Amino acid sequence: MERVSQSRVPSRPVADPISLVEAAYALEGDEDAWLSRIRSATSALLPSAQVRASVSFVYRAPTAAAFKLDRVSADGLDGAKAMAALSQDAAKDPQYIRDSILSRSCDFVSAVPRTEEQEGWKAMRSGLGVVDGFVVNGLDASGLGVLSLVFVAKRPTVSVLRRATLSRAAAHVVAGL
């Protein structure tokens, strides 16, 4: 069953990556509240002035062709539209899903080959007036994953070391799920 929730984009200072790990294991409330905490922690990893919106997805992807979104929760955008956009891109281009969601735990959307060919991504990006998206993606061996996407108006610098740290934190997010 697909569930969609939406709330306001919080303004927060840049956080330490451990805040994402803490959010992953803060299990109070329902799954929507948990996803909201994950999304807030991910958004706080970037300068708040750059963040226009954010969305979190729970997905199952035992293979790229079998990619399926189970739940979405969003701040500053229509979560149902974001879910439809990603589902559209996944159905048209499973290789893109393999190259992006199944191969990257922390990166900018623009770093993935063929991103600009994805109609859903282009529609979301232009609708929000943003230049890129920053993703933190936890995926376990069974194909269960949690992806948080932060839409940014200006692409910030995120060092290779920080991305590596966030990649390790992403493993905690899916473990918390």
Side-chain angles (χ1 to χ4, degrees):
M1 175 179 181
E2 296 177 357
R3 295 194 53 200
V4 176
S5 70
Q6 188 168 345
S7 59
R8 194 174 68 70
V9 175
S11 176
R12 295 178 46 164
V14 177
D16 187 278
I18 198 69
S19 65
L20 182 59
V21 176
E22 289 169 345
Y25 296 115
L27 304 177
E28 306 83 35
D30 63 11
E31 194 172 73
D32 288 328
W34 181 82
L35 280 172
S36 180
R37 287 189 297 274
I38 296 300
R39 199 172 47 263
S40 292
T42 303
S43 293
L45 295 169
L46 299 175
S48 61
Q50 305 302 324
V51 175
R52 291 284 195 257
S54 62
V55 63
S56 296
F57 298 104
V58 175
Y59 64 91
R60 296 181 189 282
T63 67
F67 180 83
K68 180 185 179 303
L69 293 168
D70 287 341
R71 182 172 299 230
V72 64
S73 181
D75 290 322
L77 74 143
D78 183 330
K81 284 184 180 177
M83 186 178 228
L86 181 55
S87 295
Q88 171 190 345
D89 291 345
K92 287 178 125 180
D93 192 352
Q95 181 64 42
Y96 179 73
I97 297 301
R98 188 174 302 109
D99 292 344
S100 60
I101 295 172
L102 301 183
S103 301
R104 296 166 191 259
S105 56
C106 182
D107 210 342
F108 284 95
V109 176
S110 62
V112 179
R114 295 186 327 283
T115 290
E116 289 306 315
E117 298 171 20
Q118 306 308 314
E119 294 300 322
W121 167 250
K122 287 192 300 190
M124 290 303 300
R125 193 187 76 197
S126 67
L128 291 168
V130 298
V131 297
D132 210 340
F134 183 72
V135 175
V136 175
N137 178 33
L139 176 64
D140 74 10
S142 74
L144 178 64
V146 179
L147 181 145
S148 287
L149 169 59
V150 178
F151 293 91
V152 293
K154 181 179 176 189
R155 186 175 174 179
T157 301
V158 180
S159 72
V160 172
L161 180 59
R162 185 159 177 93
R163 287 185 208 187
T165 300
L166 293 173
S167 292
R168 290 189 290 279
H172 290 277
V173 174
V174 74
L177 178 65

